[in-house]
Structure formats: C-alpha cells, structure tokens
Amino acid sequence: MMDLGKRSKICSLAVMLSLLPQTAFAEEWWQDSFATEGSAPCDNNDSIVTFTDKAVEMWEVGCTLEKVQKINRLDAVLLDMTCSDGESTEKRRELLLKLDNKVLRYPQNEVLQRCSELKAQPSQDPKVETSP
C-alpha cells in the first residue's frame, strides 16, 4: 500500500496538471481592443473598448469584471461587471458573441472589429477632370 505522503504528492500533481491547460490558454477570443465596425483606426477613436480577463475599459468608463460565464456550444460570454465613470457606479451585464473576426456586443447591439484589423482608410480625393 502507498503511504499517505505519496498519495498527497500524486493528488497535488494531478491537480496541477488539470489546471495546466487553462493556464496555457488564458487569453480568450474576446480579450483584445475593439472599436465600432468601420470606424476610424484605434489611434484617435472614442469607440474603443478593451476587454481583459479582469476589466473592460472604454472612453471615460472603466469596469471591473465580477463574473465571466461562457455559454455552452456558442462562442459567447456573459460579462457581469461593476462600472464607474468617476462620478457614479453601476452594475452591468453584457453579452459578447463571436462573429467570424468580429464581436457582437449586446445590449448595445453593436458590431466591434479588432483594432489590429482597422486600417487607415486611404484618402479618396475626387479626380478633377480638366477640359482642354
């Protein structure tokens, strides 16, 4: 029979190994900086929202994530958070749904695009035709 010390070491190792995959893939698809689809690049854009595993940062509003719930069989998460604009604090709940390379944010009902994919739009100067 195994003594108690060996059993506890084996159990500790099993627990550590079971936690390893979660640690290796800590960053989720929704953890990034986004802006409203089709908007200006993220350099000068007040629609930027940044999601991390602990917080959501927006223009003049910061939120602390209280709970993140993954929705089975969907690329979707529910975020329960406490948000503050410096003057008031409120509880919010948002749903993020993955749409190909974009994210649908509800209840705002807006489609967000990754900042890394928003490119500077080339200026479109109309060609002026001159008559001879």
Side-chain angles (χ1 to χ4, degrees):
M1 269 199 175
M2 241 188 264
D3 66 347
L4 188 56
K6 285 185 181 180
R7 277 191 215 171
S8 64
K9 286 180 184 179
I10 291 172
C11 288
S12 297
L13 181 61
V15 168
M16 287 175 54
L17 289 175
S18 70
L19 294 176
L20 193 64
Q22 294 173 359
T23 306
F25 299 104
E27 187 171 312
E28 299 285 340
W29 58 265
W30 53 273
Q31 294 177 9
D32 205 349
S33 291
F34 297 87
T36 305
E37 179 183 36
S39 65
C42 288
D43 301 352
N44 298 321
N45 192 331
D46 62 1
S47 75
I48 298 170
V49 58
T50 300
F51 299 98
T52 68
D53 62 334
K54 296 181 171 98
V56 178
E57 296 296 328
M58 296 167 279
W59 183 260
E60 298 182 352
V61 178
C63 303
T64 303
L65 288 177
E66 307 295 330
K67 186 176 183 182
V68 177
Q69 297 174 312
K70 294 180 183 178
I71 299 176
N72 289 336
R73 299 186 182 124
L74 289 175
D75 283 332
V77 292
L78 268 176
L79 305 176
D80 291 314
M81 55 191 137
T82 303
C83 300
S84 175
D85 62 3
E87 294 178 13
S88 62
T89 302
E90 66 179 341
K91 297 275 188 186
R92 291 186 188 178
R93 174 175 265 190
E94 292 186 6
L95 171 70
L96 301 179
L97 178 64
K98 184 177 180 183
L99 305 172
D100 294 322
N101 292 329
K102 298 176 180 134
V103 173
L104 174 65
R105 185 180 183 199
Y106 185 82
Q108 294 85 346
N109 202 28
E110 64 183 354
V111 177
L112 302 174
Q113 191 170 352
R114 290 185 191 280
C115 283
S116 60
E117 294 179 8
L118 284 171
K119 306 280 190 245
Q121 304 264 338
S123 61
Q124 296 181 0
D125 295 329
K127 292 185 180 180
V128 179
E129 292 184 26
T130 56
S131 54

